[in-house]
Amino acid sequence: MSVDPLLGSLSGIFSHEFMRSAFLAGTGIAAACGVVGYFLVLRAQVFTGDALSHVAFTGALAALAAGVDLRFGLFGATIAVGIGIGLLGQSARADDVVIGSVFAWMMGLGVLFLSIYISGSSGSNGSNGTAGVSVLFGSILGLSPVAAVAAAAVGLGVCALILLVARPLLFSSVDEAVAAAAGVPVRALGIGFLAIVGLTAAETTQAVGALLLLGLLTAPAAAAIRLTTRPSRGIALSAGLAILATWAGLAFSYAVPSAPPSFAIVGAATVVYGLASLRASRA
């Protein structure tokens, strides 16, 4: 597609209610991913985010198999497992063995719930089938205005929670032993952070799906860490890059309807990280 037709197709992007809702929800979700992802990368807990992405799918399948709203399973499972991983790990920093064990257990449960979902009466419902696919690949363009406002509110709430504990969380992330000696509740802080990661993972599933949410959580944050060593600037830059990637992905998906928005958003985030890495290596 040449430049002129592309710009022409983008000119009426906000004339559609579904695009306005997508940009509203995407902005809140991306900001939360950027802020949470910064600490997730800084604390070397990226594998935890990967595990929670599979938990999101398993929880949604469990809710669908039980015939209830998938969001109950989606949010309940990710938050509960996030807390569980924190409780199992030393100082709420789960090692690879804990995360890998939880990962395998969740995958096994996912297979079980998928079997129940397909063979049960709920599996014959076409709308439920669509809901199951949306959990895997995201459905940000299908959000209603009410759901978009709720998603944006949750995203802003996550940002507020992280900023509220940013100083002690940064202290414990950089030097856990000294932070504990200084009286910082390292374990409680770590468990609370993983609960917020679970909440963010559940919310992000609406935008990019369980399969791709790790890209939006980590790529902008990793890019920000490559570009600056100042924490306050890094947090702001991570959120800004995540929002930029989401906006660019939505615009590209609108201009090229054959490109799924989840692919476009994560693709834009990957490009952002690649450019940041290139700049950092040259510097």
Side-chain angles (χ1 to χ4, degrees):
M1 180 178 291
S2 61
V3 175
D4 289 340
L6 179 61
L7 293 177
S9 64
L10 290 174
S11 61
I13 190 169
F14 291 110
S15 63
H16 305 284
E17 185 178 67
F18 73 93
M19 289 305 302
R20 294 196 297 271
S21 297
F23 270 89
L24 175 61
T27 300
I29 291 171
C33 284
V35 173
V36 171
Y38 180 85
F39 288 99
L40 199 65
V41 174
L42 188 66
R43 294 168 66 87
Q45 292 183 312
V46 172
F47 192 25
T48 306
D50 188 26
L52 289 175
S53 69
H54 292 76
V55 172
F57 182 59
T58 299
L61 279 177
L64 290 174
V68 299
D69 192 320
L70 64 86
R71 285 171 292 188
F72 287 109
L74 186 64
F75 283 90
T78 52
I79 295 173
V81 172
I83 294 173
I85 290 175
L87 290 172
L88 290 173
Q90 184 179 7
S91 299
R93 282 178 180 258
D95 55 27
D96 289 345
V97 174
V98 172
I99 300 173
S101 300
V102 172
F103 189 103
W105 179 53
M106 281 292 124
M107 288 297 292
L109 285 178
V111 173
L112 172 63
F113 291 134
L114 179 62
S115 177
I116 296 173
Y117 170 60
I118 292 175
S119 61
S121 58
S122 62
S124 61
N125 189 310
S127 61
N128 281 347
T130 302
V133 173
S134 71
V135 172
L136 273 178
F137 302 105
S139 58
I140 192 170
L141 296 183
L143 293 178
S144 67
V146 174
V149 171
V154 170
L156 293 178
V158 167
C159 292
L161 286 174
I162 291 295
L163 294 178
L164 189 65
V165 298
R167 287 181 65 85
L169 183 60
L170 178 64
F171 192 7
S172 65
S173 300
V174 174
D175 198 328
E176 185 177 290
V178 175
V184 175
V186 173
R187 183 169 177 79
L189 199 60
I191 293 171
F193 172 69
L194 289 178
I196 295 174
V197 174
L199 175 62
T200 306
E203 192 64 31
T204 307
T205 300
Q206 296 184 89
V208 296
L211 292 180
L212 299 175
L213 72 86
L214 187 64
L216 191 58
L217 264 175
T218 58
I225 289 175
R226 297 275 288 178
L227 293 174
T228 180
T229 58
R230 295 182 60 180
S232 58
R233 184 179 297 174
I235 294 171
L237 184 59
S238 178
L241 291 176
I243 293 172
L244 177 64
T246 301
W247 288 355
L250 288 173
F252 183 81
S253 180
Y254 177 80
V256 185
S258 60
S262 55
F263 157 77
I265 291 171
V266 175
T270 304
V271 170
V272 165
Y273 174 71
L275 293 175
S277 298
L278 182 62
R279 179 177 178 178
S281 63
R282 287 183 174 179

